[in-house]
Amino acid sequence: MTDAVTPRLREMRWWDIDSVLELEKDLFPEDAWSRGMFWSELAHARGAEATRRYLVAEQDGRVVGYAGLASAGDLADVQTIAVAREQWGTGLGGRLLTELLRAATAFDCAEVMLECRVDNVRAQKLYERFGFEAIGFRRGYYQPGNVDALVMRLTDPAASLRQEAASLRPEEDDQGTDTHG
């Protein structure tokens, strides 16, 4: 468990990429995103035409989590959520997901999609708690390990946020997740 300092969420910027990559490679050694992938996503995260929202969670000057969302029309896609192992079970994954759903609502998205490794039950439980439902599979989605992805969908992210806010109790907030989308 970490100290009592709650990680601070803020917008991911280019100078965070090295720290994010370090965490990325620790959590996803086989299918880690590249530096270029993060640069490309951040290029679409600022300005009037922004279609992305990327966040980092920082504690004691160290990145301990990150998350990203892409939007197109009325559909958003959770691109990634990652939480440092020492933060699992602290509620940080849920905080990051809440911010992504707020961004989806701000982008006027009616639905949010994501892919989750079929072997990541902890992440699936987090998404289900927020109202995501399994709608299919993508065979061999995660490479090079050839791991299937569970495709999940949330309709009406704004309603999910209201429901989560009404039901959230810190002692029940059990979502550190290392899921990629």
Side-chain angles (χ1 to χ4, degrees):
M1 198 59 138
T2 60
D3 62 24
V5 177
T6 302
R8 179 178 70 97
L9 303 185
R10 63 172 175 77
E11 178 183 15
M12 184 187 295
R13 300 299 303 271
W14 65 266
W15 51 80
D16 295 312
I17 292 176
D18 286 341
S19 297
V20 167
L21 283 172
E22 186 177 310
L23 186 53
E24 176 84 1
K25 289 174 184 172
D26 176 53
L27 295 172
F28 313 110
E30 286 188 352
D31 55 0
W33 281 23
S34 68
R35 179 180 311 279
M37 291 171 77
F38 281 107
W39 271 103
S40 178
E41 289 296 297
L42 291 182
H44 299 284
R46 295 189 60 105
E49 302 299 317
T51 58
R52 308 287 195 273
R53 175 77 166 130
Y54 276 78
L55 308 162
V56 293
E58 201 172 43
Q59 184 178 43
D60 299 325
R62 183 174 154 258
V63 172
V64 295
Y66 56 91
L69 177 101
S71 69
D74 67 350
L75 180 64
D77 191 74
V78 173
Q79 301 291 303
T80 187
I81 294 181
V83 173
R85 295 178 202 284
E86 72 270 10
Q87 292 286 330
W88 290 1
T90 66
L92 182 55
R95 289 179 57 211
L96 288 164
L97 182 56
T98 296
E99 289 306 311
L100 294 184
L101 295 179
R102 283 187 181 131
T105 301
F107 285 132
D108 292 325
C109 295
E111 289 186 332
V112 180
M113 305 285 292
L114 61 83
E115 289 87 11
C116 178
R117 289 176 63 106
V118 294
D119 57 359
N120 193 340
V121 177
R122 182 181 57 255
Q124 291 169 31
K125 288 182 185 220
L126 166 67
Y127 298 134
E128 288 168 356
R129 195 184 88 212
F130 275 77
F132 282 84
E133 296 177 343
I135 61 168
F137 294 93
R138 294 188 195 273
R139 303 284 177 213
Y141 184 79
Y142 293 99
Q143 294 296 327
N146 203 36
V147 177
D148 295 343
L150 179 65
V151 180
M152 301 182 83
R153 176 179 60 203
L154 172 68
T155 56
D156 196 359
S160 176
L161 284 171
R162 288 189 299 275
Q163 181 178 350
E164 180 63 16
S167 68
L168 187 63
R169 289 191 286 279
E171 66 275 9
E172 295 176 358
D173 196 15
D174 181 26
Q175 62 275 327
T177 177
D178 61 328
T179 298
H180 257 268

